[in-house]
Amino acid sequence: MPDAYLSQEIRVPVPLGPRAYEVRVTSGDPGGSGPFARSALDATWAGKACRAALIVTDRNVAGLDYLPACRAALDRVGIEGRPVVLPAGEPTKCLESVVKLYDELTAMRADRHTVVVALGGGVIGDLTGFVAATYARGLPLLMLPTSLLAQVDSSVGGKVGINLPRAKNLIGAFHQPVGVWIDTETLNSLPARELRCGLAEVVKYGVILDAAFFGELETRAQSILDRRGEALRSIVGRCCRLKADVVAKDERDETGLRAVLNFGHTVGHAIEAVAGYDGAYQHGEAVAAGMVAECHLAERLGWIGPEVTLRLSRLLERFGLPVAISGLDPNRLTDAMGRDKKNQRGKVRFVLPRALGHVELTDAASPDDVHAVLTALCK
Ligand code: NAD
Ligand code: GLY
């Protein structure tokens, strides 16, 4: 690997005191994950003595080159990896999978120095992280995210968890990884729909925190869609930096700051809940339409002018994401929003833009405003 190429890697510190770690964003350097893992582990009490890893992945990712590359990279730094391959998809994020991984750890006589490695998308990251948080009261966790959503969102910040049959993400913990190693070349094999879903979260960061970044996404949309290495590394790095900054200020989601990451998600989660989790609308697609609806709501409150919503809609459409939905009943969406985790004292709370790059958590939207916006969304 030429030095100039490697020097373009991006290092993002996540400054969390004793739980601090680094996100490293590279392109085409699978071997680099070994030395990165070794130094991230060596910085911790449990990791220093680490000689064994449970590597958790799913069937889609295991069918590519990443699993053998990961095992070889860890092996070269004295860590023997035992792979476990689970079915791909959201149903894997369940208690049965947790038990299976506990059994694997027991079979390999894992102790507190065994690292648990999540090699895959957000499903594998959340599940593996939850197992790492709970087995033996906490094992070191290494994140090797391979989907765009996992690279820009779920692998950073320490939220880990699983679903119950009737409630997504209800069982969980905060458990920060020792490090996050991102190779954006893994995105070359990601199905186009999954890339688009990750892009919805990328656009979200521009709206909530960084107007200049939003402008860059508009300018560089084609390079991103063409999956150019430099463009992907740059947007992934920028998103990780933005998320790390939020997480550093509100690690446990207690001050309302981390809630800004929920822009588009109040309506988005309602769309997913009403449409069903069988793929009619994937999470990123629901969030895209949800962001547009929530911008319309901000317009009704007089917080932003229509030009913000227009720019957002245009960018989302450029990335092939929906800006409206069809076939859903707005009344059912309203009911579903009544169960949102951000609600307080029976009032639905939204994260809404005051300007491009700045959002606030508010309960100022009236039921009439919400109904009008949802009706327009579902037309
Ligand atoms: P996912 O893990 O199901 O991955 C999406 C699909 O892409 C899967 O089929 C997977 O096998 C495949 N895939 C992954 N990497 C690939 C690659 N490089 N090449 C080819 N195929 C690949 O889903 P996701 O979108 O990555 O993550 C969604 C999950 O993340 C949800 O469960 C959500 O709740 C969770 N999430 C968690 C957080 C958090 O902060 N913990 C934040 C956002 C989302
Ligand atoms: N994805 C929301 C959060 O990490 O807080």
Side-chain angles (χ1 to χ4, degrees):
M1 186 69 48
D3 280 348
Y5 195 59
L6 278 180
S7 69
Q8 292 165 16
E9 63 181 26
I10 298 169
R11 296 165 182 235
V12 180
V14 188
L16 291 170
R19 294 174 301 290
Y21 55 97
E22 184 185 284
V23 180
R24 185 85 60 91
V25 187
T26 68
S27 300
D29 182 23
S33 62
F36 173 81
R38 186 75 266 169
S39 75
L41 284 161
D42 283 350
T44 67
W45 167 82
K48 258 194 198 58
C50 177
R51 297 285 171 268
L54 183 71
I55 306 171
V56 184
T57 192
D58 74 23
R59 276 193 201 127
N60 293 342
V61 176
L64 300 158
D65 293 337
Y66 316 132
L67 180 56
C70 169
R71 285 185 82 180
L74 291 177
D75 198 54
R76 280 196 291 275
V77 294
I79 300 172
E80 189 186 346
R82 175 186 175 108
V84 189
V85 181
L86 299 171
E90 191 69 29
T92 287
K93 226 175 89 172
C94 65
L95 268 174
E96 288 74 16
S97 305
V98 172
V99 173
K100 174 162 176 50
L101 296 181
Y102 288 158
D103 285 345
E104 294 283 345
L105 285 164
T106 314
M108 68 190 278
R109 297 176 189 274
D111 61 23
R112 291 174 64 198
H113 307 286
T114 304
V115 63
V116 186
V117 181
L119 175 68
V123 163
I124 290 299
D126 280 12
L127 165 73
T128 306
F130 182 73
V131 167
T134 48
Y135 191 88
R137 297 193 184 81
L139 302 183
L141 168 67
L142 179 71
M143 291 291 204
L144 305 182
T146 61
S147 71
L148 182 59
L149 181 136
Q151 296 185 353
V152 298
D153 190 355
S154 60
S155 64
V156 179
K159 279 191 183 176
V160 296
I162 55 163
N163 304 323
L164 289 180
R166 288 155 60 93
K168 267 195 86 180
N169 291 328
L170 195 66
I171 309 298
F174 288 96
H175 187 67
Q176 300 294 346
V178 294
V180 182
W181 172 267
I182 297 175
D183 187 339
T184 59
E185 274 206 358
T186 60
L187 301 178
N188 291 341
S189 56
L190 195 66
R193 192 176 181 190
E194 300 297 343
L195 186 82
R196 289 199 291 273
C197 285
L199 285 172
E201 303 287 351
V202 170
V203 171
K204 180 192 77 176
Y205 284 107
V207 180
I208 64 174
L209 293 164
D210 193 338
F213 180 48
F214 189 94
E216 276 173 45
L217 293 173
E218 290 175 314
T219 315
R220 304 181 76 186
Q222 195 55 49
S223 312
I224 295 166
L225 289 167
D226 291 344
R227 308 188 194 203
R228 298 255 172 86
E230 195 280 322
L232 291 177
R233 209 164 48 242
S234 154
I235 63 163
V236 170
R238 184 79 153 257
C239 293
C240 289
R241 226 176 266 288
L242 290 166
K243 180 152 187 185
D245 192 39
V246 170
V247 170
K249 291 182 182 134
D250 184 17
E251 183 183 2
R252 296 179 76 90
D253 214 349
E254 288 167 340
T255 69
L257 183 61
R258 193 160 173 165
V260 301
L261 300 169
N262 251 293
F263 170 60
H265 286 61
T266 312
V267 174
H269 284 150
I271 294 171
E272 285 182 282
V274 173
Y277 293 103
D278 54 6
Y281 288 97
Q282 289 211 12
H283 180 71
E285 293 161 345
V287 167
M291 288 194 287
V292 174
E294 293 179 15
C295 270
H296 280 304
L297 199 52
E299 278 184 49
R300 288 181 76 92
L301 293 178
W303 284 19
I304 53 169
E307 69 287 351
V308 175
T309 319
L310 195 64
R311 277 180 73 184
L312 172 65
S313 300
R314 282 203 185 124
L315 183 57
L316 292 172
E317 284 179 323
R318 182 92 173 76
F319 285 146
L321 287 158
V323 296
I325 51 177
S326 56
L328 296 190
D329 175 356
N331 294 316
R332 290 191 62 204
L333 291 178
T334 307
D335 287 349
M337 283 186 332
R339 293 187 284 276
D340 192 271
K341 272 189 275 191
K342 290 188 298 307
N343 295 348
Q344 259 183 11
R345 292 182 285 280
K347 289 200 92 172
V348 180
R349 298 202 300 169
F350 290 91
V351 172
L352 299 181
R354 282 270 185 197
L356 200 57
H358 178 72
V359 286
E360 287 175 20
L361 183 61
T362 178
D363 62 4
S366 73
D368 283 352
D369 284 333
V370 174
H371 188 74
V373 160
L374 293 180
T375 305
L377 175 76
C378 297
K379 268 216 178 109

